Amino acid sequence: MDGAHTVIRRMEVDDLEAVYEIESASFPNTSWNIESFLRELTANQFAYYFVLEKEGRIVGYCGVWLVIDQSQITTIAVDRREQGNGYGRQLLQHAKEYAGESADILSLEVSIDNYRAMKLYEKEGFLYGGIRKDYYGPGKDAHVMWVSLNE
């Protein structure tokens, strides 16, 4: 952790340009577009999105779907220049706490070659639940990972 002051808050429409900049740099071949984020914020009743600000600048974000007693992280990323400072862990812990208010399980998909993310998820108690073939496109599989909340 770099000791800088951070705040996690609900994502707003005005945040989408900064969020998209991080998204497209983090996932150049599979990034969401601004319209996808806008739909999530304005039209998906199950979607909850958060940004992490460091000294007033967005450096990460996370999205969660909550449906009855199940929840899923839809996307999570930290600005590449800010990785390694614990911001991904902060976002993940925030998502777990938020989802835990109404859900029993939190799941996510992660590219099978994203070892850094998988290591973080394992440290946060996520277990492997299988493979989604071609999840990120032809030949680009994902691990499904999940964690039990409220135990």
Side-chain angles (χ1 to χ4, degrees), residues 107-110 127-132 142-146:
S107 65
L108 55 79
E109 287 87 11
V110 57
L127 304 171
Y128 290 89
I131 299 275
R132 288 200 199 276
H143 282 294
V144 177
M145 298 183 77
W146 63 276

Side-chain angles (χ1 to χ4, degrees), residues 62-65 70-76 88-100 103-110 114-130 143-151:
C62 179
V64 177
W65 285 352
Q70 305 269 324
S71 58
Q72 179 176 3
I73 291 179
T74 57
T75 187
I76 183 169
R89 173 167 279 146
Q90 283 183 6
L91 284 163
L92 190 59
Q93 289 173 346
H94 182 80
K96 286 171 60 179
E97 290 170 19
Y98 190 83
D104 297 324
I105 292 174
L106 177 62
S107 65
L108 55 79
E109 287 87 11
V110 57
N114 191 343
Y115 305 110
R116 191 174 188 181
M118 287 185 285
K119 185 175 178 182
L120 171 61
Y121 302 148
E122 288 171 351
K123 284 182 182 177
E124 287 298 314
F126 282 77
L127 304 171
Y128 290 89
H143 282 294
V144 177
M145 298 183 77
W146 63 276
V147 65
S148 181
L149 305 171
N150 304 316
E151 283 192 348

Side-chain angles (χ1 to χ4, degrees), residues 64-84:
V64 177
W65 285 352
L66 292 172
V67 181
I68 308 174
D69 63 348
Q70 305 269 324
S71 58
Q72 179 176 3
I73 291 179
T74 57
T75 187
I76 183 169
V78 172
D79 185 321
R80 290 185 180 275
R81 298 166 293 191
E82 298 289 350
Q83 290 179 359

Side-chain angles (χ1 to χ4, degrees), residues 20-93:
Y20 179 70
E21 185 176 312
I22 296 168
E23 170 79 6
S24 59
S26 299
F27 311 108
N29 298 318
T30 59
S31 65
W32 291 16
N33 57 37
I34 288 179
E35 291 77 23
S36 296
F37 281 105
L38 182 61
R39 269 193 310 278
E40 288 291 287
L41 290 181
T42 61
N44 185 343
Q45 66 180 349
F46 305 109
Y48 302 87
Y49 284 76
F50 305 94
V51 294
L52 185 143
E53 289 183 329
K54 171 186 170 183
E55 300 170 349
R57 184 175 65 86
I58 294 172
V59 298
Y61 61 90
C62 179
V64 177
W65 285 352
L66 292 172
V67 181
I68 308 174
D69 63 348
Q70 305 269 324
S71 58
Q72 179 176 3
I73 291 179
T74 57
T75 187
I76 183 169
V78 172
D79 185 321
R80 290 185 180 275
R81 298 166 293 191
E82 298 289 350
Q83 290 179 359
N85 292 321
Y87 302 138
R89 173 167 279 146
Q90 283 183 6
L91 284 163
L92 190 59
Q93 289 173 346

